[in-house]
Amino acid sequence: MFDKLLGDLDAQHLTRHLTEVSTGVAPTVTIDGREILLLASNDYLGLAGHPDIVHAATEATRRYGVGSGASRLVSGTLSPHKDMERALARFKRTASALAFGSGYLANLGAIPALIGRGGLILADRLCHASLIDACRLSGADFRIYRHNDLDHLKALLSRRKAARRTMVVTDGVFSMDGDLAPLAELFGLTRQYDAELYVDDAHGTGVMGQTGRGTLEHFHLEETVPFHMGTLSKAVGCAGGYIAGTETLITFLLNTSRSFMYTTAPPPGIAAAVVAALDIMQREPERRQRLWANRERLCDGLNRLGFTIGASASPIIPIIIGRADRALTFAEQLFSKGVFAPAIRPPTVPESTSRIRVTVTSAHTAEQIDHAVTAFRLAGESIRLI
Ligand SMILES: *Cc1c(COP(=O)(O)O)cnc(C)c1O
């Protein structure tokens, strides 16, 4: 049976496989014995391999062991977990914060805790899969509005039954297009219609805003939106997810989020690494400056060659190709020229919008970016895209 299902996927060019990275830390790694330039990592600030962060993880692992041994609510809350949550709350300027095993788990726990049967969720069509799963799991009625379409959202809000508990769910930075949600307008609408706004800032944390506190900082909305969700697995360079907010909200979530309650606490080494990473992130704003300079250099190069990069306003740069098989060929061409930027296909992205998804980080050098632009030119010419 599985043979047949896989065969069907294959016929549509939608089978996936795992690419093994054998050595190295982004952006230069070894794949299939070749040194490759990675344009696919979300380690935006180059922190995953930072010696001080690795050291913090190692020290905490020595002191507390590798595994936490139990759920956070039993005996699994170790000092590094509390240190991590205090550091997160300081960074996000909230009273409190709660860490989850991953960003996926943060959404899966928080959304069903915040809204359930009888409620209504309105979510952007391009929301991350973890948000979609969380919305389904919540048991609330769940409708999709067209991507960043405020008129559509407004129509759905004004059509609902009066006084119905409603939550609007969006990414801050969309993970496959790199564009931003119009958060000020979304917040205005939710206020007007007495709904709540849930912003997943997985790709905004550490990247967006004057001091890297995220997309809410970028739009000057930190004070207005009552809680913030993000991940520790991308710009923070570690692993985990978080919700930051008021003392009451956090106490409520730790009593009701099933993906927090019924799973073993994250490894203490990871928690200690997060503390070190948040510290470096805030002490070294030049990392973010380099990230944005690199983004400009790469976008300039791609624009000059005539690639369409859509509405990207972040270090996520999509090169929309269309058909899945053409996107795969493009990615293979890039790989043969020493650049790894994978083809992203349905169901991760809508039909006919298969693409190469490029992410740039602060760790790339100008020479590496220029090399990437050359590889894109050759690959683009080979499939007659440019
Ligand atoms: C990556 C991502 C997540 C999941 O975060 P992990 O920590 O990798 O589990 C959630 N939401 C969005 C928008 C993401 O891009």
Side-chain angles (χ1 to χ4, degrees):
M1 178 181 79
F2 299 121
D3 276 353
K4 159 133 182 36
L5 294 175
L6 278 173
D8 291 348
L9 272 183
D10 228 15
Q12 300 169 69
H13 307 282
L14 295 180
T15 321
R16 294 155 191 241
H17 68 280
L18 300 171
T19 301
E20 180 175 342
V21 174
S22 49
T23 61
V25 174
T28 319
V29 298
T30 309
I31 298 176
D32 289 343
R34 295 183 50 203
E35 191 171 297
I36 295 284
L37 178 63
L38 207 57
L39 282 172
S41 167
N42 300 317
D43 178 19
Y44 293 115
L45 301 175
L47 292 178
H50 192 292
D52 294 354
I53 299 174
V54 173
H55 179 74
T58 321
E59 278 304 297
T61 304
R62 277 215 184 87
R63 190 180 293 195
Y64 296 93
V66 177
S68 310
S71 155
R72 287 286 305 277
L73 291 170
V74 183
S75 62
T77 296
L78 310 173
S79 295
H81 296 113
K82 293 303 287 179
D83 292 344
M84 161 172 64
E85 288 169 343
R86 281 188 283 266
L88 270 168
R90 268 198 309 278
F91 170 60
K92 295 299 295 184
R93 300 184 177 173
T94 55
S96 194
L98 193 66
F100 292 74
S102 72
Y104 191 115
L105 290 172
N107 284 334
L108 222 59
I111 291 182
L114 293 169
I115 190 163
R117 230 163 248 121
L120 172 67
I121 297 177
L122 302 172
D124 189 286
R125 186 165 87 99
L126 297 188
C127 270
H128 189 260
S130 59
L131 290 171
I132 307 283
D133 293 354
C135 293
R136 288 195 182 127
L137 191 62
S138 74
D141 277 340
F142 173 37
R143 308 265 157 73
I144 298 284
Y145 61 90
R146 287 190 291 273
H147 178 51
N148 279 348
D149 186 334
L150 296 164
D151 292 334
H152 190 200
L153 174 60
K154 190 170 178 171
L156 291 173
L157 281 167
S158 59
R159 250 190 269 140
R160 90 203 143 134
K161 285 202 213 67
R164 190 168 188 202
R165 179 92 195 283
T166 306
M167 193 157 82
V168 173
V169 172
T170 183
D171 290 18
V173 177
F174 285 90
S175 56
M176 293 299 136
D177 291 71
D179 57 339
L180 310 183
L183 291 184
E185 291 78 2
L186 286 175
F187 182 69
L189 272 181
T190 54
R191 180 172 274 181
Q192 185 185 342
Y193 287 92
D194 196 26
E196 282 151 85
L197 183 60
Y198 187 102
V199 182
D200 174 340
D201 211 19
H203 289 281
T205 307
V207 171
M208 302 299 300
Q210 189 82 46
T211 66
R213 289 200 309 278
T215 314
L216 292 166
E217 183 189 19
H218 174 83
F219 286 113
H220 308 289
L221 289 169
E222 284 174 295
E223 309 293 317
T224 26
V225 174
F227 62 88
H228 309 170
M229 178 272 159
T231 175
L232 305 169
S233 330
K234 290 169 180 162
V236 184
C238 301
Y242 68 85
I243 306 271
T246 62
E247 211 63 80
T248 329
L249 173 81
I250 297 308
T251 308
F252 173 73
L253 287 178
L254 81 80
N255 280 282
T256 49
S257 294
R258 296 171 65 85
S259 65
F260 177 86
M261 302 165 76
Y262 301 112
T263 188
T264 301
I270 296 293
V274 169
V275 176
L278 288 174
D279 184 45
I280 294 169
M281 221 166 89
Q282 292 168 89
R283 266 193 293 118
E284 300 181 0
E286 59 275 16
R287 286 177 183 271
R288 214 170 38 260
Q289 285 153 14
R290 258 197 326 271
L291 166 67
W292 283 95
N294 283 345
R295 185 219 177 247
E296 288 320 304
R297 191 178 185 96
L298 184 58
C299 284
D300 280 354
L302 293 174
N303 276 326
R304 263 202 310 273
L305 291 173
F307 286 107
T308 326
I309 62 164
S312 163
S314 72
I316 301 169
I317 306 162
I319 291 139
I320 311 284
I321 293 176
R323 266 174 29 208
D325 59 329
R326 288 190 88 210
L328 280 179
T329 311
F330 194 125
E332 281 158 17
Q333 287 288 327
L334 282 177
F335 193 81
S336 73
K337 289 157 185 72
V339 171
F340 184 56
I344 308 280
R345 294 162 286 160
T348 309
V349 294
E351 279 308 320
S352 314
T353 69
S354 287
R355 66 197 64 190
I356 302 294
R357 175 183 180 271
V358 173
T359 47
V360 72
T361 78
S362 66
H364 290 112
T365 63
E367 294 71 38
Q368 286 172 330
I369 291 186
D370 296 345
H371 166 67
V373 170
T374 306
F376 270 90
R377 178 170 62 74
L378 297 172
E381 285 167 358
S382 80
I383 69 158
R384 297 205 168 80
L385 189 70
I386 51 169

